Amino acid sequence: MNVTLIPVEGKKKIVSISTLDQAKRIVCEYSYNSPIQVLVLMDGSFMLMDEEGKLKGLEINARATEIAHENNLLYPSDFIVGDVILVDDVDEFDSLPDE
């Protein structure tokens, strides 16, 4: 399935994933054992990120933070760090195998 990668640096791009592990490797690149945090956007899509990103000192992701603020998912002073994935097709994502 295709998802949108929003990296800390650079432009967002479409990437293909076929397992949940691939999604986790993208957002938890530096520590594969980290849990994933999910934010559900107003349109029903969702954002995946490294739940422990702030503890790891990952860089602020300005575009992901902007999207989260536009969807009233964060306090005004809060922010998102690290690379994130936006998933539009929730049903297809739910059907992905673990590995």
Side-chain angles (χ1 to χ4, degrees), residues 11-78:
K11 295 182 179 184
K12 64 182 180 178
K13 61 183 173 181
I14 304 298
V15 295
S16 181
I17 59 171
S18 57
T19 68
L20 296 175
D21 283 342
Q22 286 178 334
K24 189 170 185 176
R25 278 188 221 111
I26 291 171
V27 298
C28 300
E29 179 180 343
Y30 302 105
S31 177
Y32 183 61
N33 295 326
S34 294
I36 290 179
Q37 182 174 357
V38 178
L39 296 179
V40 180
L41 307 180
M42 288 188 281
D43 66 1
S45 63
F46 56 92
M47 185 184 296
L48 303 174
M49 69 194 78
D50 185 339
E51 187 172 300
E52 298 174 348
K54 289 179 185 171
L55 297 174
K56 296 174 189 173
L58 298 181
E59 292 182 56
I60 294 174
N61 187 321
R63 180 64 188 131
T65 299
E66 182 181 321
I67 291 169
H69 282 148
E70 288 169 356
N71 284 267
N72 297 316
L73 298 173
L74 299 175
Y75 288 109
S77 61
D78 202 0

